[in-house]
Amino acid sequence: MPTDAADEVANLLAEHGKELEERSAQIREAVVALEHREERARELHFRVEQVLRDGALELDLRQAELSNRSAELDQREAAVEQAEEQVESRRRTLGAVELRTAAAARREDAVRLREQEVERRASELAERAQELDDLSRSPTPAASRAVREDEHVALVSTPDRYRLVVCPGPPPDPGSIVELDDVRYRIVRLTASPLPDDDRSCALLEADLEGPG
């Protein structure tokens, strides 16, 4: 009996030892597997951190590039606005120049017309003076009559016509300056009155363009 019991106990111990060894082997395998998993987990964690660092660096680079492009776009927009302002300023300047050019052209046309009108009036005045000289030199019954001294007539050139003005006293000498209606005139010459049967003298007047002094 004791021998059998000891054998049985030994067998039991052997079985339990074998089970323990098997469990130990399983535990060692599990530990090794866990260690492999932990190693892989560490590798994956390292790779994830590396990817995150690379991604953050790339994001920083792109953010800097976007900032540079934004600043460049701002500069271009400012340059475009400045160019538009310059174009608008040049357009206004050109419009003002065109207006001044047109006004100058109109003034030149007006001055040219006035010059032509002055030349025409001067020619008419010269012709009229020649006619009066011819009348004064032609032998007429009135030429033998005495010239009146109490008044005379003045032939005055106005912007739209010629007019005769009766003035008191004898006519001033040629070259003298007289005033009619607050306008200064110079005596060009003296001649006979162009009026029929008029025994008064006639003074030819032209505007004094030089003025006083």
Side-chain angles (χ1 to χ4, degrees):
M1 291 293 293
T3 303
D4 294 337
D7 292 338
E8 186 176 356
V9 169
N11 292 331
L12 289 174
L13 290 173
E15 290 178 359
H16 283 295
K18 186 178 181 180
E19 290 179 359
L20 288 174
E21 290 178 356
E22 291 177 354
R23 289 183 180 179
S24 296
Q26 291 177 356
I27 289 172
R28 285 194 297 271
E29 291 178 356
V31 169
V32 172
L34 286 175
E35 290 177 352
H36 285 302
R37 289 181 181 178
E38 289 179 356
E39 184 66 24
R40 290 182 63 189
R42 284 193 297 271
E43 291 178 356
L44 289 175
H45 181 71
F46 176 77
R47 291 179 182 177
V48 169
E49 289 182 349
Q50 186 67 31
V51 169
L52 291 176
R53 285 194 297 270
D54 294 341
L57 179 60
E58 184 178 358
L59 287 176
D60 292 339
L61 292 176
R62 291 185 178 181
Q63 182 66 30
E65 183 179 358
L66 288 176
S67 299
N68 293 332
R69 289 185 179 179
S70 178
E72 184 179 356
L73 287 176
D74 292 340
Q75 293 178 356
R76 289 182 179 179
E77 289 179 356
V80 169
E81 291 179 357
Q82 184 177 3
E84 290 178 349
E85 292 178 356
Q86 292 178 355
V87 169
E88 181 64 20
S89 177
R90 291 180 180 178
R91 186 187 65 81
R92 291 193 297 267
T93 303
L94 180 59
V97 170
E98 290 177 349
L99 291 176
R100 289 196 295 269
T101 301
R106 290 193 297 269
R107 290 180 60 186
E108 288 179 357
D109 293 338
V111 169
R112 183 169 57 255
L113 292 176
R114 289 176 61 185
E115 289 177 348
Q116 294 175 355
E117 182 66 17
V118 169
E119 292 177 356
R120 183 184 64 81
R121 291 178 181 176
S123 178
E124 292 179 355
L125 182 60
E127 293 177 357
R128 186 62 179 171
Q130 185 63 41
E131 293 177 358
L132 292 176
D133 287 341
D134 294 341
L135 289 174
S136 64
R137 295 191 185 95
S138 60
T140 59
S144 60
R145 293 182 299 179
V147 178
R148 292 174 54 181
E149 297 292 337
D150 58 335
E151 61 182 15
H152 66 281
V153 294
L155 179 62
V156 185
S157 173
T158 62
D160 54 349
R161 61 187 176 87
Y162 293 96
R163 64 190 181 100
L164 283 174
V165 179
V166 177
C167 301
D173 295 331
S176 302
I177 302 298
V178 297
E179 289 190 5
L180 293 176
D181 300 329
D182 298 329
V183 179
R184 291 169 56 89
Y185 295 93
R186 183 182 302 275
I187 305 297
V188 178
R189 65 167 63 91
L190 301 179
T191 184
S193 173
L195 300 175
D197 297 330
D198 189 1
D199 55 357
R200 293 173 296 185
S201 299
C202 178
L204 275 67
L205 277 63
E206 67 177 9
D208 181 29
L209 300 180
E210 297 181 357

